[in-house]
């Protein structure tokens, strides 16, 4: 099956051969408005909510901005949020690991030290900017790189930040269509200066969808994933999936899959998706929170640090 798939860098869209087991076109968290997955229907302004809840319950959600030494004038952005301790941030790994636009091979790994974490107040005004000391990721192991089933990074800030409270995190044994909120930035639309909330339902990631490419993004273990009907746009990668019934974060937004021609949510052929929290991710968060990182998971930059 010949598919067209946007790379996570948003700069390389090319035909490729896939063993995808259903007729899906992948648009996995591209940094382009065209890759946005706005699934709810209706005017865009009605899908997003800026409320006091963001300034209180979700005041740990911030924007990560990174500058590649090869192109310092352009900022790569994602969502991150404080968890575990007031100097620990979780996000998606694909912000730091990218493919070359020319040949699909690994491009330089971006150092977290090239990035900053930006927090905003209840009026959307910038209230703090902090740099990162280091970061961990399952993608540091080349066996897992570009696999969305392991697309997570945990970063250490240079200092603790002032937040109202740290979010609780819960490992869910199963998903039975619970209502969720996605707290994330949407740099491809609306105001870019603060996170937004979108609401929808989650479901187990369809087990029949196994994306497996030799030279591109893949999904090898759907058991770690969740699918959702919430909206995302450019910059939403790394956002928090929050279950109001559990009053806890349950996952990290990493991408989207949609069949060709689909524009509205369908539980089997058009959905956003994320990584569910499990013991491995919580162990990585704890190692950063306690400043005891395993060297095998440290993100090592290529070229200039």
């Amino acid at each position: 099956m010949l598919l067209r798939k946007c790379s996570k860098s948003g700069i390389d869209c090319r035909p490729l051969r896939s063993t995808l087991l259903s007729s899906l076109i992948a648009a996995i968290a591209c940094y382009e408005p065209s890759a946005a997955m706005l699934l709810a229907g209706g005017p865009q302004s009605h899908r997003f909510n800026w409320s006091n809840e963001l300034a209180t319950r979700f005041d740990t959600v911030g924007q990560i901005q990174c500058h590649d030494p090869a192109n310092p004038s352009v900022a790569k952005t994602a969502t991150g949020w404080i968890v575990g301790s007031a100097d620990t941030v979780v996000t998606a790994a694909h912000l730091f690991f990218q493919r070359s636009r020319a040949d699909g091979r690994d491009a330089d790994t971006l150092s977290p030290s090239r990035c900053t974490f930006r927090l905003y107040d209840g009026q959307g005004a910038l209230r703090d900017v902090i740099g990162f000391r280091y970061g961990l990721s399952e993608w540091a192991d080349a066996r897992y790189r570009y696999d969305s089933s392991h697309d997570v990074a945990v970063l250490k800030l240079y200092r603790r930040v002032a937040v109202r409270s740290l979010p609780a995190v819960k490992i869910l044994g199963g998903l039975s269509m619970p209502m969720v909120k996605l707290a994330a930035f949407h740099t491809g639309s609306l105001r870019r200066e603060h996170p937004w909330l979108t609401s929808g339902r989650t479901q187990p990631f369809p087990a029949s969808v196994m994306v497996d490419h030799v030279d591109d993004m893949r999904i090898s273990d759907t058991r770690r994933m969740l699918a959702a009907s919430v909206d995302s746009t450019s910059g939403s990668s790394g956002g928090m999936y929050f279950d109001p019934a559990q009053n806890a974060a349950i996952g990290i937004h990493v991408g989207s899959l949609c069949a060709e021609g689909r524009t509205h949510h369908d539980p089997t052929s058009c959905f956003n998706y994320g990584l569910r929290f499990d013991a491995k991710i919580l162990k990585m968060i704890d190692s950063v929170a306690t400043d005891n990182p395993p060297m095998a998971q440290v993100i090592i930059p290529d070229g200039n640090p």
Side-chain angles (χ1 to χ4, degrees), residues 48-66:
F48 296 87
N49 178 35
W50 170 251
S51 67
N52 290 333
E53 189 176 21
L54 276 166
T56 54
R57 175 180 287 176
F58 299 106
D59 71 331
T60 62
V61 178
Q63 185 181 61
I64 300 174
Q65 290 189 3
C66 302

Side-chain angles (χ1 to χ4, degrees), residues 63-78 95-98 108-118 129-135 155-158 299-305:
Q63 185 181 61
I64 300 174
Q65 290 189 3
C66 302
H67 292 269
D68 190 331
N71 194 7
S73 63
V74 177
K76 298 179 175 70
T77 64
L95 179 64
F96 306 102
F97 300 84
Q98 298 183 9
D108 287 347
T109 299
L110 185 64
S111 171
S113 66
R114 292 279 180 180
C115 308
T116 56
F117 185 59
R118 306 166 70 86
V129 180
I130 317 100
F132 295 107
R133 287 174 50 202
Y134 62 84
L155 312 173
K156 190 69 169 182
L157 293 168
Y158 269 104
I299 299 172
I300 305 296
D302 300 312
N304 296 322

Side-chain angles (χ1 to χ4, degrees), residues 224-278:
R224 299 190 82 188
M225 316 297 290
L226 61 83
S229 63
V230 297
D231 287 331
S232 70
T233 69
S234 175
S236 297
S237 294
M240 178 199 301
Y241 281 107
F242 183 84
D243 184 345
Q246 301 287 338
N247 196 31
I250 61 171
I252 306 153
H253 177 70
V254 296
S256 56
L257 284 167
C258 210
E260 187 172 10
R262 294 276 187 174
T263 58
H264 295 280
H265 173 256
D266 182 278
T268 61
S269 63
C270 194
F271 49 84
N272 283 292
Y273 66 88
L275 269 176
R276 300 166 62 174
F277 282 111
D278 60 16

Side-chain angles (χ1 to χ4, degrees), residues 2 4 101 120 221 231 262:
L2 186 64
R4 182 168 294 275
R101 77 167 77 185
Y120 295 81
D221 186 358
D231 287 331
R262 294 276 187 174

Side-chain angles (χ1 to χ4, degrees), residues 170-296:
K170 184 160 184 147
I171 299 174
L172 294 185
L175 293 171
S176 55
M177 299 293 286
M179 292 295 297
V180 294
K181 296 181 179 182
L182 174 62
F185 281 76
H186 295 265
T187 55
S189 61
L190 299 171
R191 290 180 58 191
R192 303 183 180 193
E193 296 84 8
H194 55 68
W196 294 83
L197 287 177
T198 64
S199 299
R201 290 187 177 275
T202 59
Q203 67 206 40
F205 193 97
S208 61
V209 179
M210 297 290 286
V211 182
D212 188 8
H213 305 293
V214 173
D215 63 347
D216 213 272
M217 304 299 175
R218 64 190 187 277
I219 299 172
S220 65
D221 186 358
T222 59
R223 295 170 300 177
R224 299 190 82 188
M225 316 297 290
L226 61 83
S229 63
V230 297
D231 287 331
S232 70
T233 69
S234 175
S236 297
S237 294
M240 178 199 301
Y241 281 107
F242 183 84
D243 184 345
Q246 301 287 338
N247 196 31
I250 61 171
I252 306 153
H253 177 70
V254 296
S256 56
L257 284 167
C258 210
E260 187 172 10
R262 294 276 187 174
T263 58
H264 295 280
H265 173 256
D266 182 278
T268 61
S269 63
C270 194
F271 49 84
N272 283 292
Y273 66 88
L275 269 176
R276 300 166 62 174
F277 282 111
D278 60 16
K280 289 183 179 179
I281 296 176
L282 296 190
K283 183 178 180 180
M284 187 160 51
I285 291 172
D286 182 68
S287 67
V288 175
T290 58
D291 207 8
N292 187 30
M295 290 305 298

